[in-house]
């Protein structure tokens, strides 16, 4: 042994060495205790074996899946322990007393010898077994054991006992001892809660006064709780540590991180136990190795029953004492935590069948029978809800709730209420759900259990997020985290953190959202919660998609989709398809986006989730709107409304917004106005300034287009007040601009009216000229506002005024502009009327110019008339205009190609075989002949 030798020897020499003993120290012979994963496997197999009598092979199948998760290291031992302890309470810890051995191995004996030599004054262990005690007895070293709360209180009051070089060595059994199962610490919750203050006082004293040697301890607890044993917290004041890692193995990341924090005061060494430790002890004194070798020869007799067999036998007895019903539920709960909801549901359904058969044979069910049925029915409801079968889940929750009320169990009653609320909400029964969420939380507050408070608060926080009440959601999520930490419950802390991530995402705080989701993903991955990991990956990828990282986001979403398909989480599968749809929409691939959205729609319909069905229709509507398919977009949004009306305020709000925006685009102005008034009514909190400002602004636009000027001004002024409150100068200026546009509109109406009704021609002319000066500004204002129909209408009015003033060219241009806008809006009749007015002016101009023989001036008028007539579908006028233009061109120029083109076009438009067509063709021939003659003359 070379690594860390000098530091360890120096600490041993000054009796400032503390040895921390983990489970790995008790695995070697002859102690031969099973690893924690093996112990958990034995416990699960014992539960499944007993449960088999009531649920058959379902239990065996579930156990195999759970053990497979152990092998994959996807179910931490302390998390399985937590699931079982939450259901079995103190009865769970009874099985742990069988994880014991009084046969020390060479590692235990070497530690005892270091204590005998005065080199170690304290040993700390997380092990329950009594192998260390047996080692100290064999080496004849006095030992003071501490595992009861009162032991640690006494030691914390007399810390000098930890520093004495003479007298008994101090053994601190931090996780309790098999002597008393009530002292045992095995669950994740217990680890997250941390140690009692007296324990921490002793540990902190030893950190500050001694160098620690970690043996047989992987550091897994540090990954569950970064400040486990205050190792990180005390890094500035601690003496230092040496961490032993098996040869060829890599230290866990948490250990490496701790070593980096300690710098030169932290060392990681590699080797094999017990050889590495025996080498170290030999460097202190040659006597221990010889003694230990002799002891091993003298105690070679094998144990009557191996520790593993003893645990198997003890676990089997323990499971039988629990009873098959309880064992079946226990196995189901662990299977559910392993993301195997279908298997877990099969176990519970089989159990409920058995319970019904037993109940049929009992005249009056006992309280225990009612409690078991309530527990199983509630559990089945949770599992079925996870599989998207919410109607079935509601039925089982109702059964559970009735049983809980009958036996007078308020805790089970409120759990059922909280679970029932989630399924009711999914099915659209929002008011009932809200009442259930709040009544359950009120019950939890009455009893003050921090874990259940965390559960109730996260449920309500998630509800508020779905309703887009983000401030309330944040307050509930933050309170839930506080209680989850107090309870040591990582699941609820992860759920509450995920809620905060969702809030950050919805508020477009993408860096914060990514930071939170990364923490949540790590947390759920460590718990082996595939379901939670997949959901978190999906949320994180949505943020990446919003940031334009489409390929990475898509890879993550497809991975999440595969997990959801495997575990048959139909609701999460649908949500992932929805996210993939949005991703491809952002990417610009509308076809693929629509395919994913349609798949999500089918899935939400299959599980009867009206709110998400409506939200998916909203997304499809948005997609169609982007493609310019406004009628389809409007139809989709309107079809979604009945699914969420009076159920989901947030989605209803989004739909009315979309209906309003599309209605204004397609000219359904009154529909748009109605929609935005609904938006204001749905604003939450009531009077929310931004929502009211946006909706009022849109209502103002709708009223403006309907020429309801005074009402429009009121709407824009209401919007302006809210924009001013929000400090939004851009939108405030826009509202003021709209109000001034309405005032300008009113002004031009006065002048145009005067131009029609004034008593003298001079007054009419003056009013028309004033209106003519105002129209361009007014038309441009309506164009910039987006009120395109108003823009077209005022082009008509301006064209009429220009015509009155004798400016025919501008009048024609204005009528044609109006016609183009009306055509784009689908108002064909209005477009035709505007074009006809332009045609009438052009015909009149043409006739006047031709009468006066002003051929050159007539040509552009004729060409414009041909174009207008063609747009109107007036083939005869178009043909005649082309022919007359060709005649004028022939009379004034030698542009034979132009003459030929116009005459050919006229011949094509005149009725085939008619005299007009023949005349046009003769003109074509004349142009060709003249062109040839000119070419010949030039040659």
């Amino acid at each position: 042994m070379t690594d860390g030798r000098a530091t360890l020897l120096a600490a041993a020499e000054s009796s400032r060495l503390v040895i921390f003993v983990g489970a790995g120290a008790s695995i070697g012979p002859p102690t031969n205790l099973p690893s924690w994963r093996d112990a958990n496997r034995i416990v699960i197999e014992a539960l499944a074996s007993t449960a088999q009598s009531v649920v058959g092979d379902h239990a065996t199948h579930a156990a195999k899946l759970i053990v497979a998760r152990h092998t994959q290291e996807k179910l931490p031992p302390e998390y399985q322990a937590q699931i079982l302890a939450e259901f079995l309470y103190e009865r769970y810890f009874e099985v742990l007393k069988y994880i014991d051995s009084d046969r020390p191995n060479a590692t235990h004996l070497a530690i005892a010898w270091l204590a005998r030599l005065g080199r170690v004054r304290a040993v700390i262990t997380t092990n329950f077994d009594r192998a260390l005690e047996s080692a100290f007895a064999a080496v004849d070293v006095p030992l003071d054991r501490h595992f009861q709360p009162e032991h640690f209180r006494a030691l914390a009051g007399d810390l000098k006992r930890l520093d004495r070089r003479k007298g008994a060595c101090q053994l601190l059994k931090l996780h309790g001892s098999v002597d008393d199962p009530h002292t045992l610490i095995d669950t994740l919750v217990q680890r997250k809660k941390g140690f009692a203050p007296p324990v921490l006082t002793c540990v902190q004293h030893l950190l500050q006064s001694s160098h620690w040697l970690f043996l047989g301890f992987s550091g897994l607890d540090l990954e569950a709780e970064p400040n486990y044993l205050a190792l990180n917290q005390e890094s500035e004041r601690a003496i230092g540590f040496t961490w032993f890692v098996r040869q060829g193995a890599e230290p866990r990341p948490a250990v490496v991180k701790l070593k980096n924090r300690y710098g030169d005061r932290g060392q990681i060494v590699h080797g094999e136990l017990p050889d590495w430790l025996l080498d170290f002890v030999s460097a202190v004194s040659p006597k221990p190795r010889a003694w230990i070798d002799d002891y091993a020869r003298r105690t070679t007799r094998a144990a009557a029953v191996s520790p593993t067999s003893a645990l198997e036998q003890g676990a089997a007895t323990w499971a039988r004492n629990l009873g098959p019903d309880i064992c079946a539920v226990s196995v189901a709960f662990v299977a559910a935590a392993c993301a195997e909801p279908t298997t877990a549901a099969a176990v519970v359904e089989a159990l409920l069948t058995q319970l019904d058969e037993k109940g049929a044979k009992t005249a009056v069910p006992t309280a225990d029978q009612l409690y078991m049925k309530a527990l199983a029915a509630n559990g089945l409801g949770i599992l079925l809800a996870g599989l998207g079968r919410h109607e079935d889940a509601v039925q089982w929750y109702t059964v559970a709730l009735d049983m809980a009320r009958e036996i007078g169990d308020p805790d089970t009653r409120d759990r059922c209420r909280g679970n029932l609320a989630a399924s009711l909400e999914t099915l659209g029964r929002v008011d009932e759900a809200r009442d259930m969420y709040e009544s359950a939380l009120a019950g939890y507050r009455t009893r003050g259990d921090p874990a259940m408070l965390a559960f109730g608060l996260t449920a309500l926080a998630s509800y508020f997020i779905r309703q887009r009440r983000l401030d309330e959601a944040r307050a509930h999520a933050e309170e839930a985290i506080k209680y989850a930490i107090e309870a040591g419950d990582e699941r609820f802390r992860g759920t509450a953190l995920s809620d905060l991530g969702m809030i950050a995402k919805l508020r477009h705080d993408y860096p914060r959202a990514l930071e939170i989701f990364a923490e949540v993903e790590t947390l759920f991955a460590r718990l082996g919660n595939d379901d939670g990991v997949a959901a978190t990956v999906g949320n994180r990828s949505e943020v990446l998609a919003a940031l334009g990282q489409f390929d990475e986001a898509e890879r993550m979403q497809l991975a999440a989709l595969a997990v959801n398909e495997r575990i048959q989480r139909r609701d999460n599968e649908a949500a992932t398809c929805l996210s993939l749809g949005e991703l491809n929409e952002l990417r610009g691939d509308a076809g693929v986006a629509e395919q994913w959205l349609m798949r999500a729609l089918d899935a939400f319909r299959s599980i009867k989730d009206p709110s998400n069905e409506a939200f998916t229709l909203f997304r499809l509507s948005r997609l169609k709107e982007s493609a310019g398919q406004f009628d389809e977009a409007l139809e989709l949004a309107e079809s979604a409304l009945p699914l969420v009306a009076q159920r989901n305020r947030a989605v209803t709000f989004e739909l009315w917004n979309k209906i309003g925006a599309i209605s204004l685009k397609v000219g359904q102005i009154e529909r748009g106005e109605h929609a935005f008034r609904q938006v204001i009514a749905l604003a939450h909190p009531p009077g929310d300034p931004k929502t009211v400002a946006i909706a009022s602004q849109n209502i103002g636009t709708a009223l403006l287009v309907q020429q309801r000027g005074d009402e429009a001004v009121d709407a824009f002024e209401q919007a302006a007040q809210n924009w001013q409150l929000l400090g939004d100068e851009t939108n405030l200026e826009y509202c003021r601009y709209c109000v001034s546009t309405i005032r300008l509109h009113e002004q031009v109406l006065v002048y145009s009216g005067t131009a029609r009704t004034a008593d003298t021609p001079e007054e009419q002319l003056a009013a028309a000229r004033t209106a003519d000066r105002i129209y361009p500004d007014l038309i441009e204002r309506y164009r910039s506002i987006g009120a395109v129909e108003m823009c077209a209408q005022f082009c008509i009015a301006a064209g009429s005024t220009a015509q009155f003033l004798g400016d025919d060219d501008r009048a024609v241009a204005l009528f044609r502009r109006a016609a183009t806008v009306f055509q784009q809006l689908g108002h064909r009749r209005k477009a035709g009327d505007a074009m006809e007015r332009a045609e009438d002016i052009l015909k009149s101009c043409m006739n006047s110019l031709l009468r006066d023989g002003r051929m050159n001036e007539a040509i552009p008028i004729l060409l414009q008339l041909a174009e207008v007539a063609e747009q109107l579908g007036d083939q005869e006028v178009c043909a005649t205009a082309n022919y007359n233009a060709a005649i004028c061109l022939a009379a004034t120029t030698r542009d034979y190609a132009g003459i030929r083109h116009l005459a050919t076009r006229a011949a094509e438009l005149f009725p085939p075989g008619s005299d007009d067509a023949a005349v046009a063709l003769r003109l074509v021939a004349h142009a060709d002949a003249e062109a040839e003659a000119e070419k010949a003359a030039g040659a």
Side-chain angles (χ1 to χ4, degrees):
M1 185 198 84
T2 56
D3 288 346
R5 180 180 218 170
T7 300
L8 287 171
L9 286 173
E13 186 63 32
S14 61
S15 295
R16 292 297 180 185
L17 180 63
V18 167
I19 298 182
F20 187 101
V21 182
S26 293
I27 292 175
T31 311
N32 290 328
L33 283 178
S35 68
W36 279 114
R37 293 197 183 279
D38 282 339
N40 274 19
R41 171 186 58 78
I42 290 167
V43 168
I44 284 295
E45 288 175 347
L47 290 168
S49 178
T50 299
Q52 198 166 13
S53 65
V54 290
V55 298
D57 291 340
H58 294 302
T60 306
H61 179 61
K64 287 180 179 178
L65 293 173
I66 294 167
V67 170
R69 300 286 284 192
H70 290 163
T71 304
Q72 298 161 12
E73 295 194 357
K74 287 189 174 182
L75 181 63
E78 63 272 22
Y79 186 45
Q80 175 176 302
Q82 177 178 328
I83 295 162
L84 293 173
E86 284 175 348
F87 173 44
L88 300 173
Y89 303 104
E90 294 298 326
R91 290 176 296 179
Y92 166 69
F93 295 94
E94 290 295 326
V95 75
L96 301 181
K97 67 185 180 183
Y98 298 108
I99 305 176
D100 188 26
S101 174
D102 60 359
R103 294 169 64 83
N105 59 37
T107 300
H108 300 120
L109 294 166
I111 293 169
W113 262 101
L114 284 170
R116 177 172 173 171
L117 294 169
R119 301 301 191 258
V120 171
R121 300 303 311 131
V123 177
I124 301 175
T125 185
T126 54
N127 298 343
F128 307 153
D129 63 77
R130 294 170 296 173
L132 272 169
E133 290 96 313
S134 296
F136 274 72
V139 179
D140 194 21
V141 180
L143 184 67
D144 287 346
R145 296 196 308 155
H146 308 278
F147 60 88
Q148 300 277 12
E150 57 269 25
H151 296 165
F152 287 107
R153 285 195 295 270
L155 186 59
D158 184 14
L159 292 173
K160 291 180 180 179
R161 290 166 64 189
L162 295 170
D163 299 327
R164 292 174 188 150
R165 302 191 65 170
K166 295 183 179 180
C169 181
Q170 307 300 310
L171 174 62
L172 284 66
K173 302 190 76 169
L174 301 184
H175 287 184
S177 176
V178 293
D179 300 272
D180 182 358
H182 293 91
T183 65
L184 300 180
I185 292 177
D186 188 39
T187 71
L188 179 59
V189 164
Q190 289 174 315
R191 285 165 164 78
K192 293 302 292 185
K193 281 184 175 180
F195 295 105
V199 177
L200 281 178
T201 297
C202 298
V203 167
Q204 288 169 326
H205 177 81
L206 290 171
L207 282 170
Q208 295 171 22
S209 62
S210 303
H211 185 91
W212 286 32
L213 170 61
F214 290 90
L215 296 174
F217 184 58
S218 68
L220 189 64
D221 292 279
L222 275 170
E223 293 180 3
E225 173 49 59
N227 199 37
Y228 181 73
L229 286 176
L231 290 170
N232 277 297
Q233 179 183 319
E234 293 294 327
S235 61
E236 296 292 329
R237 296 180 291 273
I239 297 297
F241 68 83
T242 298
W243 202 294
F244 174 82
V245 179
R246 288 184 60 196
Q247 195 69 44
E250 291 296 324
R252 288 190 174 273
V255 175
V256 175
K257 189 174 181 180
L258 186 70
K259 187 258 182 256
N260 293 337
R261 188 181 183 100
Y262 274 67
D264 293 340
R265 292 175 295 118
Q267 303 174 93
I268 297 175
V269 299
H270 290 79
E272 294 291 344
L273 288 178
D275 295 337
W276 183 91
L277 184 59
L278 290 172
D279 286 347
F280 170 65
V281 175
S282 296
V284 176
S285 168
K287 187 175 181 181
R289 182 186 283 272
W291 188 95
I292 291 170
D293 288 343
D294 180 62
Y295 180 86
R297 284 192 295 272
R298 289 185 286 107
T299 57
T300 54
R301 180 180 57 82
V305 179
S306 73
T308 298
S309 296
L311 175 58
E312 288 172 341
Q313 293 171 17
T317 300
W318 166 77
R320 284 194 298 272
N321 291 335
L322 290 174
D325 295 349
I326 290 176
C327 289
V329 175
S330 300
V331 170
F333 284 169
V334 178
C338 291
E340 295 290 350
T342 303
T343 300
V347 173
V348 182
E349 284 177 323
L351 174 60
L352 281 164
T353 299
Q354 288 292 316
L355 290 173
D356 285 340
E357 291 178 1
K358 289 179 185 177
K361 299 175 183 178
T362 305
V364 179
T366 66
D368 286 345
Q369 288 174 324
L370 291 173
Y371 176 74
M372 181 54 62
K373 186 166 184 179
L375 197 68
N378 185 53
L380 183 57
I382 294 169
L383 294 164
L384 294 177
L387 293 168
R389 294 167 55 186
H390 290 283
E391 289 184 334
D392 293 336
V394 166
Q395 292 179 8
W396 284 111
Y397 287 141
T398 304
V399 169
L401 196 53
D402 290 342
M403 298 293 103
R405 286 170 176 154
E406 189 171 345
I407 60 177
D409 183 348
D411 192 49
T412 302
R413 177 201 65 201
D414 290 332
R415 287 172 185 259
C416 294
R417 282 177 174 171
N419 294 327
L420 175 57
S423 285
L424 288 174
E425 183 189 355
T426 299
L427 294 171
R429 294 159 63 179
V430 178
D431 291 339
E432 292 178 72
R434 172 70 185 273
D435 290 343
M436 286 286 182
Y437 282 129
E438 292 185 335
S439 64
L441 180 57
Y444 301 144
R445 289 195 187 282
T446 299
R447 290 182 294 281
D449 180 344
M452 296 315 301
L453 277 167
F455 169 63
L457 287 162
T458 55
L460 204 48
S462 298
Y463 167 84
F464 284 134
I465 288 172
R466 290 186 288 272
Q467 297 292 327
R468 296 300 188 271
R469 296 165 61 173
L470 301 185
D471 289 340
E472 292 168 272
R474 182 182 182 87
H476 281 73
E478 288 176 343
E479 188 181 2
I481 289 173
K482 180 188 73 172
Y483 282 118
I485 291 172
E486 182 183 339
D489 197 307
E490 287 291 84
R491 293 164 306 176
F492 295 147
R493 187 172 74 88
T495 303
L497 276 173
S498 184
D499 284 339
L500 291 179
M502 288 292 293
I503 293 166
K505 183 181 76 169
L506 290 169
R507 287 179 167 163
H508 307 296
D509 185 355
Y510 295 138
R512 178 61 177 153
L514 288 173
E515 178 186 349
I516 293 172
F517 287 140
E519 181 180 355
V520 174
E521 186 179 343
T522 300
L523 186 156
F524 283 145
R526 188 177 178 282
L527 297 181
N529 186 342
D530 289 358
D531 185 8
V533 170
T536 308
V537 166
N539 286 327
R540 189 155 63 89
S541 68
E542 286 180 3
V543 177
L544 294 176
L547 294 171
Q549 299 177 36
F550 301 122
D551 291 344
E552 175 65 7
E554 185 174 53
R555 182 192 65 76
M556 293 167 63
Q557 287 285 10
L558 291 173
L561 181 61
V563 173
N564 289 321
E565 289 174 336
R566 178 183 67 78
I567 63 178
Q568 299 180 39
R569 278 301 301 262
R570 190 78 168 135
D571 53 349
N572 287 348
E573 180 186 339
T576 306
C577 291
L578 185 62
S579 296
L580 282 163
E582 183 176 25
L583 183 153
N584 282 282
E585 181 183 355
L586 290 170
R587 185 187 262 163
D589 195 335
V592 174
E594 185 172 359
Q595 290 175 12
W596 282 114
L597 291 174
M598 290 304 298
R599 179 172 168 183
L601 187 63
D602 289 342
F604 284 129
R605 282 174 174 164
S606 73
I607 62 175
K608 299 181 180 179
D609 184 343
S611 292
N612 278 310
E613 181 184 345
F615 187 66
T616 307
L617 287 167
F618 164 73
R619 288 282 179 83
L620 282 165
S621 173
R622 190 175 70 180
L623 195 66
K624 294 294 183 183
E625 181 191 13
S626 299
Q629 299 171 21
F630 299 123
D631 290 341
E632 290 181 61
L634 197 56
E635 183 180 348
L636 286 165
E638 290 180 328
S639 71
L641 267 178
L643 296 169
V644 286
Q646 308 302 317
R647 293 173 173 174
N648 188 308
R649 177 187 291 267
V651 178
T652 307
F653 176 89
E654 296 284 3
L655 286 167
W656 278 121
N657 246 330
K658 183 57 60 187
I659 289 167
I662 298 171
S663 296
L664 292 185
K665 285 182 180 179
V666 299
Q668 295 186 26
I669 308 305
E670 291 182 2
R671 176 63 165 160
E673 178 195 347
H674 172 71
F676 286 117
R677 291 195 186 281
Q678 295 299 315
V679 168
I680 290 178
L682 288 164
H684 191 87
D688 170 49
K690 187 170 184 179
T691 298
V692 172
I694 294 170
S696 298
Q697 192 167 295
N698 284 318
I699 289 170
T701 302
L703 293 168
L704 180 151
V705 172
Q706 295 175 72
Q707 300 189 42
R708 292 156 61 185
D710 290 341
E711 293 175 79
V713 167
D714 289 343
F716 282 123
E717 287 180 345
Q718 182 183 12
Q721 290 172 4
N722 285 286
W723 288 129
Q724 190 165 22
L725 183 66
L726 293 164
D728 189 327
E729 290 297 326
T730 300
N731 279 303
L732 175 61
E733 189 58 36
Y734 174 81
C735 290
R736 289 171 174 168
Y737 181 77
C738 289
V739 170
S740 66
T741 299
I742 294 169
R743 298 307 184 203
L744 191 64
H745 179 153
E746 293 169 346
Q747 187 180 355
V748 80
L749 289 179
V750 170
Y751 285 113
S752 62
T754 302
R756 290 192 302 273
T757 61
D759 293 335
T760 66
E762 290 77 11
E763 290 175 329
Q764 290 178 350
L765 193 61
R769 285 173 177 163
T770 303
D772 188 56
R773 287 194 297 272
I774 295 173
Y775 277 126
D777 183 22
L778 186 61
I779 291 167
E780 175 55 28
R781 281 169 172 265
Y782 280 129
R783 185 202 64 77
S784 64
I785 289 170
V788 289
E789 187 167 2
M790 292 294 292
C791 178
Q793 289 175 2
F794 275 100
C795 282
I796 295 290
S800 298
T801 302
Q803 186 178 5
F804 174 75
L805 293 171
D807 191 343
D808 290 338
D809 287 345
R810 196 152 60 85
V812 169
L814 286 164
F815 288 138
R816 294 190 68 182
R817 179 178 176 183
T820 300
V821 173
F822 283 134
Q823 187 72 31
Q824 290 171 345
L825 292 173
H827 301 335
R828 294 183 181 179
R829 186 182 61 77
K830 289 182 178 181
D833 290 346
M835 290 297 284
E836 285 176 2
R837 295 189 66 172
E839 185 182 53
D840 289 344
I841 295 172
L842 291 169
K843 283 180 180 178
S844 177
C845 289
M846 175 199 71
N847 290 333
S848 176
L849 290 169
L850 290 178
R851 276 196 308 271
D852 295 343
R854 294 153 63 184
M855 301 290 192
N856 271 332
E857 295 176 59
I859 290 172
I861 301 297
L862 286 164
L863 291 174
Q864 194 173 175
L865 177 59
E867 186 178 344
V868 170
E870 185 174 17
Q871 286 178 302
L872 285 168
D874 194 338
Q875 191 167 313
E876 183 177 356
V877 172
C878 183
T880 302
N882 275 295
Y883 178 74
N884 286 331
I887 292 293
C888 291
L889 201 60
T892 57
T893 71
R894 296 163 65 186
D895 181 4
Y896 300 119
I899 296 165
R900 187 182 197 287
H901 170 73
L902 291 168
T904 300
R905 179 65 179 147
E908 292 171 349
L909 292 169
F910 283 130
S914 66
D915 291 343
D916 290 334
V919 170
L921 288 172
R922 283 199 294 275
L923 184 55
V924 172
H926 171 74
D928 288 343
E930 289 297 315
E932 285 297 323
E934 188 176 84
K935 184 178 179 181

